[in-house]
Amino acid sequence: MTQPQSHSQPADTQWPRWEVFKQDAQGRPHQAVGSVHAGDPQHALLTARNVFVRRPAAVSLWCVLESDILTATPEELTTNPALLGTPGETGTYHVGVKRTNKRSMTFVDLSGTVQATGSGDALRQAQIMHPEVLAWMVFPETVVVRTDEDPGTVESWFAPAKDKTYKQQQHYGVIGRHVGELKRAGLMPGRAPSEDSA
Amino acid sequence: MTTGTQALTDTQTQALLLKLTVLADDEIVVAHRNGEWTGHAPILEEDIALANIAQDELGHAGLYLTLAQNLGGSDPDQVAFWRGPDDYLNTRLVELPKGDWAFTMIRQFLYDTYEALWLEAATRSTYAPLAEIAAKAAREEKFHLQHTALWAERLALGTPESERRTQAALTELWPHAAQLFQPTHGEAELTAAGILPDLNAVHVRWTDLVTRHLTEKCGLTLPATPDAQPGRDTHTEHLAPLLEEMQSVAREYPTAEVW
C-alpha cells in the first residue's frame, strides 16, 4: 500500500522485501529491526531468524511484506496529504512510531492497534495519537506472518541465541598476541604521516 | 535423562573417544564447506544464514572434542588442526566440493536430518555429559533442518533448472549418505550400555523422513542405495586440499597462544 509508482523503474529481479519485527521479551513491543528478501512467508521468517536472532534475545518474530506497509514522516504528510486517503481493508491496523534518531539502529516501536477503514485512516489516527515523532508506520493485522508460539519453535528458534554470549569484536582472541598488547609493548608501527595529518 | 555420571570402563572410554572424534570430524568438515559460501551465497540473507549454520556446526564439534578431552583425549585445537587427511574420519558426504546451491542445500538437508535425529536420541544417553551436550545441540539442529528442508522444497519445486540441479545433487549425494550410519569400532557395546543411540534405529527414522520429504513433498527421485560403502578412513581427493586450507593459519603459527 505504498504509493503506486507512476514513473518507470528497471525490472526488479530481487525477491520481495519483508520488514522484520522482533520482540525481545514478553510484554515488550515488537520493534522493526530491519528487512530481509525472501520468496514466501515461511522463508521470510526463517531468514529473519538467521539474520536478526543470532545472538540477541528474542521471543517472537513477525514479518510483513514491505508493500503492505504505509509509512510517512511529518514532512511527507505536509507535502503529500493524499497519503491519508490511502485505501485498504477495514479492520485492525498496527501502528508503529519512530521516536528517535539517537541510536545507530533507529527502531520503529509497534505501539498498539487501531480500528481503521484503510491504511490512510490508520495513519491519520497514528498522527493524532503520536503527534511528536519522526515517522509513523501502519499495516493491517491480517498481513502479519508470525512465528509459532509452541514450545518446539521457542526452543529451537529463540532459546539457543539466549545462551550465547554476545561479544564485542575486541573480546575475541587473535592469532598470536592481541594488538593492544603489542601497542603497549611499542611493537606496532606508527601511523603513516598522511593519515596523521588527515 | 540421567543425572549422575556413569563410570566408563577403559574399553568404553576408548570407543567413546573414537565416536566423539568421528562426530566432530563430520561437523568440522561440513562447516568448512558451508563456510566456503561466505561472500558467495545467492543472496546476502542466505550468506548470513549459512555462515550461522557453519558456526553452529563448529560449535557442536567443539562440544564433542571438549567432552573427548575430558575423557583423556587431546586438546580440541590439536585434533582439528594437526591431523591430516589420513587421520580424519569424516564421511565423504561432507568433504565433497561445495558445488552449486542445490548441492549444498541437499547435502545439508541429508546431514541435518541425520544430526537432528541422532542428537535427539543421544539426549537419552545414560552417560550424562553426552546427554547434556546433545540436548544443547539438538535444538539448534532442529532449526537448521527447517531451513534446509525449506530450501530443498523450494529448489525442487522451483524452475525446471532448479529442479534439474536439485535432482542431480540428490543423485550424486545419496550413495554417500549411507556412510553416516556405519558404526565405529566398539560402538555396539556403547549402544548396548545405553551410552550411544542405536544407529540402526536412527537410520530407519532418517530413511523414512528424508524419503517422505524428498519424494512426496519435493517430487524428487531417490537413486538406489549402494550395498556397501568404503569406511570412514577412505577419502576422496577433495579432503586433503580442504584440510590444507582450513589448517593453514594454525600450521603457519604453531606457537600461537591465543585464538
Side-chain angles (χ1 to χ4, degrees):
Chain A
M1 271 160 261
T2 44
Q3 288 298 298
Q5 301 291 336
S6 53
H7 54 285
S8 74
Q9 285 191 324
D12 190 354
T13 58
Q14 295 215 67
W15 281 323
R17 199 178 87 213
W18 304 73
E19 286 301 317
V20 178
F21 299 86
K22 181 166 82 75
Q23 188 185 23
D24 292 348
Q26 299 293 349
R28 298 270 305 140
H30 280 74
Q31 291 181 306
V33 288
S35 56
V36 294
H37 291 87
D40 56 79
Q42 193 57 28
H43 185 206
L45 279 179
L46 278 160
T47 308
R49 190 276 185 188
N50 272 318
V51 175
F52 295 104
V53 196
R54 178 63 184 161
R55 286 290 182 274
V59 294
S60 163
L61 278 180
W62 292 0
C63 287
V64 179
L65 207 51
E66 178 267 335
S67 55
D68 287 328
I69 298 174
L70 177 66
T71 59
T73 61
E75 295 75 20
E76 279 172 329
L77 270 187
T78 309
T79 53
N80 186 13
L83 282 173
L84 294 174
T86 308
E89 299 286 318
T90 297
T92 305
Y93 281 74
H94 286 279
V95 172
V97 289
K98 180 172 171 171
R99 291 192 171 88
T100 173
N101 263 329
K102 270 183 187 164
R103 303 175 59 177
S104 57
M105 290 171 85
T106 52
F107 297 145
V108 170
D109 290 345
L110 294 190
S111 67
T113 57
V114 293
Q115 297 300 315
T117 56
S119 290
D121 182 36
L123 180 60
R124 184 187 57 77
Q125 297 185 52
Q127 187 192 13
I128 294 167
M129 289 160 60
H130 309 281
E132 300 292 326
V133 294
L134 297 175
W136 302 277
M137 168 189 276
V138 296
F139 53 86
E141 162 71 16
T142 50
V143 301
V144 179
V145 188
R146 58 191 87 208
T147 48
D148 295 333
E149 286 169 12
D150 65 291
T153 300
V154 173
E155 183 69 5
S156 67
W157 284 50
F158 302 120
K162 213 173 173 179
D163 296 350
K164 285 178 183 162
T165 320
Y166 182 81
K167 288 182 179 175
Q168 293 293 346
Q169 206 172 0
Q170 66 264 29
H171 287 117
Y172 287 100
V174 291
I175 303 293
R177 281 188 279 171
H178 192 276
V179 67
E181 198 186 330
L182 295 172
K183 271 183 189 163
R184 284 190 294 277
L187 293 171
M188 287 295 284
R191 281 188 185 187
S194 58
E195 286 178 39
D196 279 332
S197 58
Chain B
M1 227 188 286
T2 53
T3 46
T5 298
Q6 178 181 333
L8 303 174
T9 67
D10 284 350
T11 320
Q12 286 177 333
T13 303
Q14 289 314 308
L16 188 53
L17 275 173
L18 174 65
K19 181 69 181 182
L20 291 169
T21 311
V22 159
L23 290 164
D25 284 357
D26 274 340
E27 302 274 34
I28 292 168
V29 174
V30 84
H32 186 85
R33 283 294 182 227
N34 288 339
E36 288 178 340
W37 279 102
T38 305
H40 300 278
I43 59 166
L44 176 65
E45 288 87 338
E46 286 301 329
D47 204 303
I48 297 168
L50 201 56
N52 283 346
I53 287 171
Q55 280 191 324
D56 284 346
E57 305 294 28
L58 270 187
H60 301 170
L63 292 173
Y64 292 135
L65 293 180
T66 305
L67 179 53
Q69 187 181 25
N70 295 339
L71 283 168
S74 303
D75 169 68
D77 282 343
Q78 201 69 29
V79 176
F81 295 113
W82 295 92
R83 283 180 308 145
D86 293 341
D87 298 321
Y88 255 81
L89 294 168
N90 59 280
T91 56
R92 302 199 295 181
L93 175 79
V94 294
E95 77 193 32
L96 295 173
K98 76 180 200 301
D100 58 17
W101 188 247
F103 191 88
T104 295
M105 287 296 110
I106 291 295
R107 162 161 59 198
Q108 195 63 25
F109 172 70
L110 297 174
Y111 184 75
D112 283 341
T113 312
Y114 147 79
E115 208 193 335
L117 292 172
W118 191 90
L119 285 169
E120 188 195 271
T123 60
R124 295 186 292 274
S125 170
T126 54
Y127 184 59
L130 178 61
E132 277 166 26
I133 62 169
K136 204 171 174 189
R139 53 187 199 179
E140 288 182 344
E141 215 41 50
K142 236 184 194 167
F143 179 79
H144 293 184
L145 182 53
Q146 287 184 34
H147 175 261
T148 45
L150 175 134
W151 266 105
E153 196 186 337
R154 299 300 187 278
L155 290 167
L157 305 176
T159 65
E161 172 73 1
S162 74
E163 186 199 350
R164 184 186 66 73
R165 285 171 180 251
T166 311
Q167 181 62 56
L170 181 59
T171 305
E172 186 178 344
L173 287 163
W174 184 255
H176 295 292
Q179 232 187 341
L180 290 168
F181 301 99
Q182 287 174 346
T184 53
H185 183 72
E187 183 164 348
E189 197 210 324
L190 292 178
T191 300
I195 295 167
L196 286 181
D198 180 352
L199 202 54
N200 289 325
V202 173
H203 195 177
V204 169
R205 289 192 65 198
W206 178 87
T207 307
D208 177 52
L209 254 166
V210 297
T211 303
R212 272 193 288 137
H213 188 72
L214 295 174
T215 61
E216 290 171 26
K217 213 155 188 190
C218 304
L220 298 168
T221 309
L222 289 185
T225 306
D227 293 333
Q229 274 285 315
R232 278 174 170 266
D233 51 356
T234 314
H235 294 288
T236 65
E237 73 272 23
H238 306 296
L239 181 63
L242 179 152
L243 291 179
E244 198 180 319
E245 188 193 346
M246 188 188 92
Q247 299 173 335
S248 60
V249 175
R251 290 182 182 236
E252 195 166 338
Y253 300 94
T255 56
E257 288 167 21
V258 187
W259 287 89

